[in-house]
Amino acid sequence: MTEEAELPQAPKEAQAVFGEFLPEAVRYAELLADAGVKRGLIGPREVPRLWERHLLNCAVLSEVVPEGVTVCDVGSGAGLPGIPLALVRPDLKITLLEPLLRRTNFLQEVVELLGLDHVTVVRGRAEEVLGTLQPVHVVTARAVAPLDRLAGWGVPLLRPYGEMLALKGGTAEEEIQGARAALNKLGVVETEVLRVGEGLVDPTSTVVRVVAGESPGGVRFAAKRAKAARTGRTRRRR
């Protein structure tokens, strides 16, 4: 029987990042280290590095999220990056989108325990909620899929000229090059790699920023959105 990994105390950088919401961040870390591990949402080996590798790494994404926008966290899993972002940015309206029931149950419990009134949990896949979920200003994601596939899920959920912010690793530039053709088909007009969290996380967090044009997802998804919207109106009239 292996010994349970112990959650370390919040590092000094956590105070700088979470500010007045540090107690809620600590509570979230405790939930991840306990229920998150027991339910298989994170591995036990991640517990000692929860702060540096997960909470802080995700929270600094807030540096590049515009003020007062709507956000959809695609494939939210255990709530990363959506929950840390919600803790530091009460001005945002955030949807945590996750297909697995055991994960959405956990997310709902976290949202209620932490009093995150500006966060909504939705169970489903990105392609399933297209046309029913209101288009958002920003889509976030972390460790969900390669960029070409991730963009295929996230970009169609955006409003015109919205942006997808994907936390990635050291191969971000190569992923952009490999996904160029797919991004063009999705109506993407701009891509760049950003580094966030200078002086707060080491190494800094790498973010791929993908900006959509007038028709996020391209022609095919515009038609799919319109069809889903018509279906929704028909159901409401019945």
Side-chain angles (χ1 to χ4, degrees), residues 1 70 117 138 157 167 198 203-204 232:
M1 190 172 175
T70 53
D117 298 335
V138 176
L157 299 177
L167 282 160
E198 184 70 44
T204 53

Side-chain angles (χ1 to χ4, degrees), residues 68-99:
V69 298
T70 53
V71 177
C72 181
D73 189 33
V74 172
S76 196
L80 300 163
I83 297 288
L85 183 61
L87 286 170
V88 297
R89 294 289 300 277
D91 60 298
L92 304 175
K93 187 175 180 183
I94 299 177
T95 299
L96 305 179
L97 182 63
E98 169 56 47

Side-chain angles (χ1 to χ4, degrees), residues 105-177:
N105 285 342
F106 175 78
L107 292 173
Q108 193 59 54
E109 289 166 21
V110 170
V111 166
E112 290 172 8
L113 279 166
L114 302 184
L116 300 175
D117 298 335
H118 57 304
V119 178
T120 303
V121 178
V122 173
R123 185 184 175 200
R125 300 182 187 279
E127 56 270 35
E128 294 168 348
V129 301
L130 189 65
T132 57
L133 191 71
Q134 279 289 103
V136 296
H137 298 93
V138 176
V139 163
T140 58
R142 179 183 189 240
V144 174
L147 186 60
D148 55 350
R149 197 146 29 108
L150 177 59
W153 299 332
V155 172
L157 299 177
L158 292 170
R159 294 167 51 135
Y161 311 107
E163 56 191 75
M164 184 177 78
L165 300 170
L167 282 160
K168 287 287 183 179
T171 59
E173 297 279 4
E174 291 89 335
E175 279 204 56
I176 288 177
Q177 292 307 317

